[in-house]
Amino acid sequence: ILNVEQSPQSLHVQEGDSTNFTCSFPSSNFYALHWYRWETAKSPEALFVMTLNGDEKKKGRISATLNTKEGYSYLYIKGSQPEDSATYLCACNQGAQKLVFGQGTRLTINP
Amino acid sequence: KAGVTQTPRYLIKTRGQQVTLSCSPISGHRSVSWYQQTPGQGLQFLFEYFSETQRNKGNFPGRFSGRQFSNSRSEMNVSTLELGDSALYLCASSLTAEQFFGPGTRLTVL
Protein backbone atom coordinates (compact mmCIF):
# COMPACT_ATOMS: atom_id res chain seq x y z
CA ILE A 1 0.00 0.00 0.00
CA LEU A 2 1.39 3.35 -1.03
CA ASN A 3 1.76 5.75 1.90
CA VAL A 4 2.37 9.44 1.30
CA GLU A 5 3.32 11.60 4.25
CA GLN A 6 3.57 15.35 4.53
CA SER A 7 5.21 17.48 7.19
CA PRO A 8 4.54 19.63 8.98
CA GLN A 9 0.76 19.30 9.31
CA SER A 10 0.42 23.04 9.79
CA LEU A 11 2.64 26.06 9.56
CA HIS A 12 2.31 29.72 10.49
CA VAL A 13 4.65 32.08 8.67
CA GLN A 14 5.09 35.83 8.73
CA GLU A 15 4.36 37.70 5.52
CA GLY A 16 7.57 38.12 3.57
CA ASP A 17 9.28 35.07 5.04
CA SER A 18 10.18 32.05 2.96
CA THR A 19 9.08 28.57 3.89
CA ASN A 20 9.24 24.98 2.76
CA PHE A 21 7.58 21.68 3.51
CA THR A 22 8.13 18.04 2.74
CA CYS A 23 6.38 15.17 1.03
CA SER A 24 7.70 11.63 1.58
CA PHE A 25 6.73 8.62 -0.50
CA PRO A 26 7.98 5.08 -1.21
CA SER A 27 10.79 5.25 -3.75
CA SER A 28 9.92 1.91 -5.37
CA ASN A 29 7.54 1.83 -8.36
CA PHE A 30 7.52 5.60 -8.58
CA TYR A 31 5.44 7.07 -11.41
CA ALA A 32 4.82 10.77 -10.73
CA LEU A 33 4.57 13.28 -7.90
CA HIS A 34 1.90 15.99 -7.87
CA TRP A 35 1.62 19.17 -5.79
CA TYR A 36 -1.72 20.91 -5.34
CA ARG A 37 -2.79 24.09 -3.60
CA TRP A 38 -6.25 23.95 -2.01
CA GLU A 39 -7.81 27.15 -0.80
CA THR A 40 -10.91 27.04 1.35
CA ALA A 41 -14.14 26.78 -0.66
CA LYS A 42 -12.24 26.35 -3.93
CA SER A 43 -11.10 23.40 -6.06
CA PRO A 44 -7.64 21.95 -5.58
CA GLU A 45 -5.34 23.69 -8.05
CA ALA A 46 -2.52 21.79 -9.69
CA LEU A 47 0.89 23.35 -9.08
CA PHE A 48 3.37 20.82 -10.42
CA VAL A 49 3.64 17.32 -11.82
CA MET A 50 7.13 15.87 -11.58
CA THR A 51 8.39 12.57 -12.87
CA LEU A 52 12.19 12.59 -13.09
CA ASN A 53 14.69 12.32 -10.28
CA GLY A 54 16.27 15.72 -9.76
CA ASP A 55 13.32 17.55 -11.35
CA GLU A 56 12.97 21.15 -10.27
CA LYS A 57 9.89 23.15 -11.21
CA LYS A 58 9.02 26.79 -10.59
CA LYS A 59 5.86 28.85 -10.83
CA GLY A 60 6.33 32.43 -9.68
CA ARG A 61 7.47 32.39 -6.04
CA ILE A 62 6.74 28.67 -5.64
CA SER A 63 9.17 25.95 -6.57
CA ALA A 64 9.50 22.22 -5.99
CA THR A 65 12.22 19.61 -6.13
CA LEU A 66 12.03 15.85 -6.46
CA ASN A 67 14.27 13.05 -5.24
CA THR A 68 12.86 9.72 -6.37
CA LYS A 69 15.82 7.67 -5.12
CA GLU A 70 15.24 8.65 -1.49
CA GLY A 71 11.50 9.27 -1.86
CA TYR A 72 10.92 12.92 -1.05
CA SER A 73 9.88 16.21 -2.57
CA TYR A 74 10.19 19.73 -1.18
CA LEU A 75 7.88 22.64 -1.90
CA TYR A 76 9.35 26.11 -1.38
CA ILE A 77 7.53 29.42 -1.16
CA LYS A 78 9.67 32.53 -1.37
CA GLY A 79 8.51 35.79 0.20
CA SER A 80 5.16 34.47 1.49
CA GLN A 81 2.08 36.56 0.83
CA PRO A 82 -1.37 36.33 2.49
CA GLU A 83 -2.78 34.82 -0.71
CA ASP A 84 -0.43 31.86 -0.24
CA SER A 85 -2.54 30.74 2.73
CA ALA A 86 -3.95 27.36 1.73
CA THR A 87 -3.53 23.65 2.25
CA TYR A 88 -0.76 22.20 0.11
CA LEU A 89 -1.26 18.60 -0.92
CA CYS A 90 1.14 16.20 -2.51
CA ALA A 91 0.09 13.00 -4.23
CA CYS A 92 1.76 10.05 -5.89
CA ASN A 93 0.43 7.94 -8.70
CA GLN A 94 -0.46 4.36 -7.92
CA GLY A 95 -1.51 3.43 -11.41
CA ALA A 96 -1.86 5.97 -14.19
CA GLN A 97 -4.66 8.11 -12.81
CA LYS A 98 -4.96 6.79 -9.26
CA LEU A 99 -3.55 9.43 -6.95
CA VAL A 100 -2.64 8.70 -3.36
CA PHE A 101 -2.66 11.92 -1.35
CA GLY A 102 -0.84 12.97 1.76
CA GLN A 103 -2.76 14.63 4.58
CA GLY A 104 -1.60 18.07 3.50
CA THR A 105 0.24 20.98 5.06
CA ARG A 106 -2.00 23.83 6.15
CA LEU A 107 -0.13 27.09 5.62
CA THR A 108 -1.23 30.34 7.25
CA ILE A 109 0.51 33.59 6.40
CA ASN A 110 0.34 36.19 9.14
CA PRO A 111 0.28 39.79 7.83
CA LYS B 1 -12.24 26.95 -21.34
CA ALA B 2 -14.82 25.77 -18.82
CA GLY B 3 -13.52 23.87 -15.81
CA VAL B 4 -14.78 20.71 -14.20
CA THR B 5 -18.32 21.10 -12.91
CA GLN B 6 -20.09 19.06 -10.29
CA THR B 7 -23.74 18.94 -9.35
CA PRO B 8 -25.27 19.31 -6.93
CA ARG B 9 -22.89 21.30 -4.74
CA TYR B 10 -24.66 20.39 -1.52
CA LEU B 11 -26.87 17.49 -0.62
CA ILE B 12 -28.55 16.25 2.54
CA LYS B 13 -29.78 12.66 2.74
CA THR B 14 -30.84 10.27 5.45
CA ARG B 15 -29.38 6.88 6.30
CA GLY B 16 -30.48 4.13 3.97
CA GLN B 17 -31.19 6.40 1.02
CA GLN B 18 -29.17 6.43 -2.16
CA VAL B 19 -27.57 9.37 -3.91
CA THR B 20 -26.22 10.16 -7.38
CA LEU B 21 -23.58 12.80 -7.97
CA SER B 22 -22.65 14.18 -11.37
CA CYS B 23 -19.38 15.39 -12.87
CA SER B 24 -18.82 17.10 -16.21
CA PRO B 25 -15.15 17.07 -17.22
CA ILE B 26 -13.21 19.67 -19.14
CA SER B 27 -14.02 19.41 -22.83
CA GLY B 28 -11.73 16.86 -24.48
CA HIS B 29 -10.78 15.10 -21.24
CA ARG B 30 -11.69 11.42 -21.34
CA SER B 31 -10.52 10.37 -17.90
CA VAL B 32 -12.64 11.15 -14.84
CA SER B 33 -11.58 10.21 -11.31
CA TRP B 34 -13.57 10.43 -8.09
CA TYR B 35 -12.23 11.13 -4.60
CA GLN B 36 -13.73 11.27 -1.13
CA GLN B 37 -12.50 13.72 1.46
CA THR B 38 -13.32 13.26 5.13
CA PRO B 39 -11.72 15.16 8.01
CA GLY B 40 -9.86 12.18 9.38
CA GLN B 41 -8.87 10.45 6.15
CA GLY B 42 -7.90 13.16 3.72
CA LEU B 43 -8.50 12.67 0.01
CA GLN B 44 -9.07 9.04 -0.93
CA PHE B 45 -9.36 7.62 -4.41
CA LEU B 46 -12.69 6.00 -5.27
CA PHE B 47 -12.45 5.06 -8.95
CA GLU B 48 -11.44 6.28 -12.39
CA TYR B 49 -13.27 5.99 -15.69
CA PHE B 50 -11.83 6.27 -19.16
CA SER B 51 -13.87 5.92 -22.33
CA GLU B 52 -16.86 4.58 -20.38
CA THR B 53 -14.79 1.85 -18.67
CA GLN B 54 -13.71 1.69 -15.06
CA ARG B 55 -9.95 1.58 -15.23
CA ASN B 56 -8.93 1.87 -11.57
CA LYS B 57 -10.72 1.27 -8.31
CA GLY B 58 -9.95 2.23 -4.71
CA ASN B 59 -10.75 0.36 -1.51
CA PHE B 60 -14.37 1.26 -1.04
CA PRO B 61 -17.35 -1.05 -0.52
CA GLY B 62 -19.60 -2.08 -3.37
CA ARG B 63 -22.18 0.51 -2.27
CA PHE B 64 -20.03 3.00 -4.15
CA SER B 65 -20.36 2.73 -7.90
CA GLY B 66 -19.96 4.90 -10.91
CA ARG B 67 -20.33 5.12 -14.63
CA GLN B 68 -19.23 7.26 -17.51
CA PHE B 69 -21.21 8.27 -20.54
CA SER B 70 -20.11 8.61 -24.15
CA ASN B 71 -19.69 12.39 -23.70
CA SER B 72 -17.26 11.65 -20.80
CA ARG B 73 -19.65 12.95 -18.14
CA SER B 74 -19.56 10.73 -15.10
CA GLU B 75 -21.91 9.86 -12.30
CA MET B 76 -21.19 8.37 -8.92
CA ASN B 77 -23.81 6.50 -6.94
CA VAL B 78 -23.83 5.57 -3.28
CA SER B 79 -26.53 3.18 -2.16
CA THR B 80 -27.75 2.50 1.37
CA LEU B 81 -26.13 5.61 2.78
CA GLU B 82 -24.37 5.46 6.12
CA LEU B 83 -23.48 8.31 8.47
CA GLY B 84 -19.82 7.77 7.61
CA ASP B 85 -20.49 8.59 3.98
CA SER B 86 -20.80 12.25 4.93
CA ALA B 87 -17.94 13.83 3.05
CA LEU B 88 -16.83 16.11 0.26
CA TYR B 89 -16.80 14.21 -3.04
CA LEU B 90 -14.45 15.58 -5.67
CA CYS B 91 -14.10 14.59 -9.26
CA ALA B 92 -11.13 15.32 -11.46
CA SER B 93 -10.66 15.12 -15.20
CA SER B 94 -7.46 14.68 -17.11
CA LEU B 95 -5.95 14.44 -20.55
CA THR B 96 -2.44 13.58 -19.39
CA ALA B 97 -0.95 13.08 -15.92
CA GLU B 98 -2.25 16.40 -14.56
CA GLN B 99 -5.68 16.18 -12.98
CA PHE B 100 -8.08 19.12 -12.81
CA PHE B 101 -10.51 19.12 -9.93
CA GLY B 102 -14.08 20.29 -9.67
CA PRO B 103 -15.48 22.21 -6.69
CA GLY B 104 -16.91 19.10 -5.10
CA THR B 105 -20.27 17.96 -3.75
CA ARG B 106 -20.73 18.20 0.00
CA LEU B 107 -22.88 15.25 1.10
CA THR B 108 -24.37 15.19 4.58
CA VAL B 109 -26.03 11.99 5.79
CA LEU B 110 -28.38 12.38 8.75
Side-chain angles (χ1 to χ4, degrees), chain A residues 1 31-32 34 36 38 41-47 49 59 89 93-103, chain B residues 9 31 33 35 37 39-43 45 48 55-58 88 90 94 96-103:
Chain A
I1 296 177
Y31 186 83
H34 303 243
Y36 286 87
W38 197 359
K42 293 187 178 180
S43 310
E45 173 198 356
L47 291 173
V49 180
K59 183 185 280 191
L89 296 169
N93 283 95
Q94 187 178 39
Q97 296 299 336
K98 182 177 179 179
L99 294 182
V100 177
F101 282 85
Q103 294 286 339
Chain B
R9 294 292 311 278
S31 170
S33 300
Y35 296 85
Q37 201 232 8
Q41 296 295 320
L43 269 170
F45 175 81
E48 182 235 350
R55 195 161 63 169
N56 284 293
K57 190 176 188 309
L88 179 68
L90 290 167
S94 61
T96 58
E98 187 174 3
Q99 294 193 20
F100 296 84
F101 283 84

Side-chain angles (χ1 to χ4, degrees), chain B residues 8-90:
Chain B
R9 294 292 311 278
Y10 301 92
L11 205 47
I12 299 175
K13 292 283 188 180
T14 55
R15 275 182 299 175
Q17 287 188 309
Q18 74 160 15
V19 68
T20 299
L21 313 181
S22 181
C23 172
S24 292
I26 291 172
S27 178
H29 288 193
R30 293 166 64 189
S31 170
V32 174
S33 300
W34 287 89
Y35 296 85
Q36 181 197 63
Q37 201 232 8
T38 55
Q41 296 295 320
L43 269 170
Q44 291 191 293
F45 175 81
L46 280 153
F47 28 66
E48 182 235 350
Y49 285 86
F50 180 85
S51 292
E52 302 179 65
T53 301
Q54 188 181 88
R55 195 161 63 169
N56 284 293
K57 190 176 188 309
N59 295 324
F60 279 81
R63 300 184 297 106
F64 291 81
S65 63
R67 59 178 175 167
Q68 186 179 35
F69 301 94
S70 57
N71 61 358
S72 294
R73 188 178 70 86
S74 178
E75 286 182 348
M76 187 192 114
N77 184 274
V78 188
S79 63
T80 320
L81 283 165
E82 300 176 0
L83 294 179
D85 297 332
S86 293
L88 179 68
Y89 291 88
L90 290 167

Side-chain angles (χ1 to χ4, degrees), chain A residues 48-60:
Chain A
F48 307 112
V49 180
M50 297 187 288
T51 56
L52 298 177
N53 184 47
D55 252 356
E56 290 188 28
K57 297 231 174 171
K58 188 176 179 183
K59 183 185 280 191

Side-chain angles (χ1 to χ4, degrees), chain A residues 9-30:
Chain A
Q9 280 191 324
S10 66
L11 199 50
H12 290 254
V13 173
Q14 284 299 122
E15 182 177 351
D17 287 352
S18 297
T19 188
N20 65 84
F21 21 95
T22 307
C23 173
S24 302
F25 52 88
S27 55
S28 58
N29 299 319
F30 176 81

